């Protein structure tokens, strides 16, 4: 009897971050098609709300420090012999490629290595300054073409990679696996918060890190302008280094009673589902998961055009307004117009269809195993 193929996904920290969610959803999609899936994790903290399928083998990889990560990965590859391994970050892809070379058997095929790129690589490299920036750029240019394949999460990301690596680079575009039946089920959980009662007062939701690229100052100023027109409230779900600054600006704008910052929510989906409007105010963002999740739940969205990702998700404004980053008046106007005339939930859900998790896990299987896997 021929054993089913085995694929590995290097997850890193198994936390509430987007990479962990994507890795878990891909692994679940793989085992749904009869493919063995190993999820390689370095730590498990703040676990993601979705659970991994019990058929997924979670492999603890330890600390994976500078001196141990290549030998540890090579030991795993030599022992388990997966057909392919998927990585998501520059450093992890480089040491996995080195480990695959170290673990190569004298007989039989070696493990193929793939990498997913989650946004414009040139922008990421340009933001890294000094020796770290030079090292990361050299690693990408020297190692990325050694992957069996490179997955870009959007057409814009793919074009950026081809400009960086050359037009003959093995780049395939596959959207992120975001929308799952489990996510939709989790979104039905009740919310223990008075704002979500039958008050008739709109509740806007922001969900994300409190970091500079999310541009919370613009959101708060725009919300203050909106509040001057109508009664509404803003819930900021997330945390980060700029929390003290955000709290100080909230107080300075007189928004203490109308803006709450409760921190991370273990299950944010009920808030996204019940929000009157979900807002993204970023200066730069690759393919914002929160927009996809909100559309899939039938919730209206407003976004800054902070890169090609939001334009791609919202189909150029078909599924929600796009405004220039940092434009307070434009953001306030878009929020007011959307609250006054929201799109039907059925129309919004169409925007999430191309990010259905099993659909995109199947595209990964087609790439990594060279064949289409149909539901059996």
């Amino acid at each position: 009897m021929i054993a089913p193929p085995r694929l590995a996904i290097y997850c890193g920290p198994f936390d509430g971050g987007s990479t962990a969610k994507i890795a878990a959803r891909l692994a679940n999609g793989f085992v749904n098609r009869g493919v063995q899936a190993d999820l390689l994790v370095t730590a498990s903290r703040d676990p993601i709300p979705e659970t991994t399928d019990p058929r997924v083998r979670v492999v603890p990889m330890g600390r994976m420090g500078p001196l141990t990560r290549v030998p540890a990965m090579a030991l795993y590859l030599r022992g388990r012999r997966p057909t392919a391994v998927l990585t998501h970050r520059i450093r992890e892809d480089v040491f996995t490629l080195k480990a695959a070379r170290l673990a190569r058997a004298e007989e039989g095929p070696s493990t193929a290595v793939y990498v997913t790129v989650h946004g414009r690589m040139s922008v990421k490299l340009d933001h890294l300054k000094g020796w770290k920036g030079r090292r990361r750029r050299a690693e990408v240019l020297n190692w990325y073409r050694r992957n069996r394949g490179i997955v870009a999460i959007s057409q814009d990301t793919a074009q950026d990679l081809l400009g960086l690596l050359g037009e003959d680079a093995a780049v395939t575009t596959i959207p992120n696996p975001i929308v799952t039946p489990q996510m939709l089920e989790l979104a039905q959980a009740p919310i223990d918060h008075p704002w979500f009662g039958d008050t008739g007062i709109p509740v806007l939701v922001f969900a994300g890190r409190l970091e500079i690229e999310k541009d919370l100052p613009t959101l708060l100023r725009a919300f203050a302008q909106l509040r001057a027109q109508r009664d509404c409230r803003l819930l900021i779900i997330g945390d980060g280094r700029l929390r003290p600054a955000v709290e100080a600006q909230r107080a300075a704008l007189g928004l203490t009673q109308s803006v709450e910052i409760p921190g991370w929510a273990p299950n944010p989906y009920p808030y996204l589902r019940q929000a009157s409007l979900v807002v993204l105010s970023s200066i730069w963002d690759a393919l914002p998961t929160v927009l996809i999740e909100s559309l899939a739940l039938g919730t209206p969205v407003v976004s800054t055009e902070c890169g090609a990702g939001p334009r791609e998700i919202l189909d150029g404004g078909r599924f929600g307004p796009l405004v220039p980053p940092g434009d307070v008046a434009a953001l306030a106007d878009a929020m007011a117009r959307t609250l006054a005339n929201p799109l039907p939930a059925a129309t919004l859900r169409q925007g999430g269809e191309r990010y259905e998790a099993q659909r995109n896990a199947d595209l990964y299987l087609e790439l990594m195993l060279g064949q289409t896997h149909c539901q059996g």
Side-chain angles (χ1 to χ4, degrees):
M1 181 176 179
I2 300 175
R6 175 181 293 113
L7 298 178
I9 305 171
Y10 187 88
C11 175
F14 197 47
D15 54 19
S18 59
T19 299
K21 292 179 181 179
I22 290 165
R25 290 164 180 168
L26 284 176
N28 288 347
F30 292 170
V31 298
N32 283 343
R33 299 303 194 227
V35 175
Q36 298 181 60
D38 287 358
L39 196 60
L40 314 183
V41 303
T42 56
S44 183
R45 58 179 185 272
D46 301 325
I48 63 175
E50 302 103 316
T51 57
T52 55
D53 190 294
R55 294 171 293 179
V56 173
R57 181 174 181 263
V58 178
V59 181
M61 297 295 289
R63 293 177 59 86
M64 299 293 278
L67 299 178
T68 61
R69 54 194 177 215
V70 172
M73 179 61 81
L75 187 63
Y76 163 79
L77 295 176
R78 186 171 293 168
R80 291 287 285 178
R81 291 290 170 197
T83 304
V85 59
L86 176 68
T87 66
H88 291 275
R89 301 177 182 92
I90 297 173
R91 182 180 62 191
E92 295 163 0
D93 185 57
V94 171
F95 77 65
T96 301
L97 286 164
K98 293 178 179 178
R101 186 172 60 180
L102 183 64
R104 186 173 297 132
E106 294 183 2
E107 297 180 359
S110 59
T111 297
V113 182
Y114 293 81
V115 63
T116 299
V117 179
H118 294 271
R120 289 189 181 184
M121 181 64 76
S122 63
V123 173
K124 295 179 183 180
L125 295 176
D126 288 344
H127 281 197
L128 295 172
K129 304 301 182 183
W131 67 270
K132 185 175 182 179
R134 291 190 296 271
R135 185 181 69 182
R136 287 285 184 262
R137 183 176 294 274
E139 287 175 335
V140 170
L141 295 178
N142 292 336
W143 286 93
Y144 263 50
R145 290 175 64 91
R146 306 185 194 195
N147 285 283
R148 184 72 58 85
I150 304 170
V151 175
I153 63 169
S154 68
Q155 292 292 341
D156 178 72
T157 300
Q159 289 303 313
D160 181 73
L161 281 167
L162 292 172
L164 187 68
L165 300 174
E167 291 295 326
D168 62 337
V171 178
T172 302
T173 302
I174 303 177
N176 273 339
I178 303 299
V179 183
T180 67
Q182 192 174 21
M183 186 202 88
L184 300 176
E185 182 180 346
L186 285 166
Q188 302 304 314
I191 297 177
D192 184 17
H193 194 290
W195 285 3
F196 291 91
D198 188 18
T199 64
I201 301 173
V203 179
L204 287 69
V205 169
F206 166 90
R209 302 183 311 277
L210 308 189
E211 302 291 347
I212 190 168
E213 66 268 21
K214 299 299 183 181
D215 196 10
L216 272 299
T218 290
L219 174 58
L220 288 173
R221 288 195 291 268
F223 179 74
Q225 289 190 13
L226 180 65
R227 281 272 300 171
Q229 303 173 34
R230 63 179 299 170
D231 192 10
C232 54
R233 291 160 175 168
L234 172 63
L235 191 67
I236 297 176
I237 300 173
D239 216 332
R241 292 174 296 177
L242 297 186
R243 183 185 182 99
V246 173
E247 291 175 336
Q249 186 183 15
R250 175 183 61 171
L253 291 169
L255 300 174
T256 304
Q257 299 303 313
S258 57
V259 177
E260 283 196 7
I261 314 172
W264 290 111
N267 178 13
Y269 306 126
Y271 297 95
L272 299 181
R273 183 179 71 86
Q274 295 193 40
S276 305
L277 176 64
V278 172
V279 186
L280 184 77
S281 54
S282 298
I283 301 169
W284 179 86
D285 222 319
L287 197 75
T289 299
V290 68
L291 293 181
I292 299 167
E293 292 169 338
S294 300
L295 291 178
L297 294 169
T299 302
V301 298
V302 169
S303 177
T304 51
E305 194 165 4
C306 49
R311 173 163 286 277
E312 188 170 314
I313 293 167
L314 300 182
D315 194 16
R318 176 187 170 201
F319 297 116
L322 292 156
V323 302
D327 192 328
V328 173
L331 184 59
D333 179 66
M335 292 190 297
R337 286 188 288 108
T338 306
L339 286 174
N341 189 26
L343 289 171
T347 299
L348 294 166
R349 291 189 186 102
Q350 292 175 16
E353 289 177 355
R354 68 188 299 261
Y355 301 98
E356 197 273 327
Q358 188 63 61
R359 168 192 180 275
N360 295 325
D362 289 345
L363 294 176
Y364 270 91
L365 289 175
E366 186 175 352
L367 174 68
M368 298 170 74
L369 296 178
Q371 54 186 307
T372 302
H373 282 253
C374 301
Q375 182 69 50

